């Protein structure tokens, strides 16, 4: 009799748990690290960073976009002035010492933290494009993106109780603003956002928290680059949020820099 009661109670608890999970849908929804969502994330970032949905065409991208950070290059905009491009080339050179970018390491170290091209012109851009044709360098860019940007953003978002959209909001912010705790860096933006709204992990409403985060981020973008286009927030991430698409489900439509993008 006791065993029968326990069995019945267990069945009832499982049924209640199943109903709760189905009602929220959140536990079953894939996060940004799932293959399909990660691919989608790269496509949305590429629409803002490279003006394309085909992010794999951006390994060889390189130009100075006059933002004070020197050359911007590769799949997430590694910059000669913000250390991440230098770190990428250093790690790549450890594995492939004879690569075509290795000879520029002394110059990259000298210009790190500045917008200078000293020692890089005229050959660095051609060398980058040539090296980007090699699968090993493309893999190195992928690894650096995952180690320094994608992985940390997703893990922080998961600890904050955010679903796929929130994880993407964090990822795009760390790509654009960089890691760190300064007021215009990812850590500083998050710190300011949690003062305005509680994260879901703290019992807050996710949509309210993400709206606060995007508000802070937009302000930080204006501080970094006054007058700069903020459509990657205004008509992309904000649009997804206003649609209530916390799981970042397709189809998606958004606008960046006046161009409309769609993913079916």
């Amino acid at each position: 009799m006791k065993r029968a009661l326990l069995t019945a109670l267990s069945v009832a608890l499982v049924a209640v748990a199943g109903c709760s999970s189905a009602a929220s849908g959140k536990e079953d929804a894939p996060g940004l690290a799932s293959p399909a969502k990660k691919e989608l994330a790269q496509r949305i970032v590429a629409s803002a960073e490279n003006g394309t949905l085909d992010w794999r065409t951006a390994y060889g991208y390189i130009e100075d976009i006059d933002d004070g950070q020197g050359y911007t290059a590769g799949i997430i905009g590694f910059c000669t002035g913000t250390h991440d491009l230098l770190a990428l080339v250093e790690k790549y050179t450890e594995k492939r010492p004879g690569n075509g970018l290795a000879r520029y390491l002394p110059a990259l170290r000298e210009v790190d933290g500045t917008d200078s091209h000293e020692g890089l012109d005229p050959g660095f851009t051609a060398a980058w494009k040539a090296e980007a044709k090699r699968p090993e360098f493309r893999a190195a860019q992928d690894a650096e993106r995952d180690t320094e940007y994608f992985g940390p953003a997703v893990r922080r978002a998961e600890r904050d109780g955010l679903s796929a959209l929130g994880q993407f909001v964090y990822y795009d912010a760390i790509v654009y603003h960089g890691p760190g705790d300064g007021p215009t860096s990812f850590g500083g933006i998050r710190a300011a956002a949690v003062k305005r709204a509680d994260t879901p992990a703290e019992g807050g409403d996710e949509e309210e928290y993400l709206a606060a985060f995007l508000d802070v981020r937009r302000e930080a973008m204006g501080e970094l680059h006054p007058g700069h286009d903020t459509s990657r927030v205004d008509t992309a991430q904000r649009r997804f949020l206003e649609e209530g698409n916390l799981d970042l489900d397709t189809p998606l439509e958004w606008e960046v820099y006046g161009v409309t993008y769609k993913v079916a």
Side-chain angles (χ1 to χ4, degrees), residues 93-234:
T93 301
E94 288 178 4
K95 295 182 177 180
R96 294 183 60 84
N99 74 80
L101 297 172
R103 66 181 181 272
Y104 291 99
L105 277 172
L108 287 171
R109 294 184 182 113
E110 286 295 320
V111 303
D112 191 28
T114 77
D115 62 356
S116 174
H117 295 184
E118 184 71 28
L120 298 177
D121 292 341
F124 181 68
T125 57
W128 180 279
K129 292 175 182 178
E131 204 65 31
K133 296 177 182 179
R134 299 181 180 275
E136 296 87 354
F137 187 51
R138 295 196 294 271
Q141 289 193 42
D142 290 344
E144 192 71 3
R145 172 201 63 203
D146 291 348
T147 300
E148 301 298 328
Y149 297 94
F150 188 82
V154 171
R155 289 192 295 272
R156 178 68 265 182
E158 288 175 339
R159 291 197 297 274
D160 284 344
L162 302 179
S163 50
L165 175 59
Q167 293 169 29
F168 176 76
V169 165
Y170 275 20
Y171 176 47
D172 189 69
I174 203 171
V175 165
Y176 184 93
H177 296 271
D181 297 322
T184 59
S185 297
F186 169 74
I189 293 170
R190 180 187 171 277
V194 298
K195 292 179 180 178
R196 300 189 185 186
D198 289 336
T199 68
E202 297 170 321
D205 178 82
E206 181 168 8
E207 293 188 26
E208 290 180 6
Y209 171 71
L210 290 178
F213 185 94
L214 292 177
D215 287 344
V216 176
R217 185 185 168 189
R218 194 177 189 280
E219 293 163 11
M221 292 174 75
E223 186 175 341
L224 274 174
H225 307 294
H228 186 73
D229 188 307
T230 57
S231 56
R232 68 194 293 162
V233 169
D234 303 332

Side-chain angles (χ1 to χ4, degrees), residues 1-13:
M1 183 68 176
K2 191 173 184 180
R3 180 178 296 176
L5 287 172
L6 289 172
T7 300
L9 179 60
S10 297
V11 170
L13 289 173

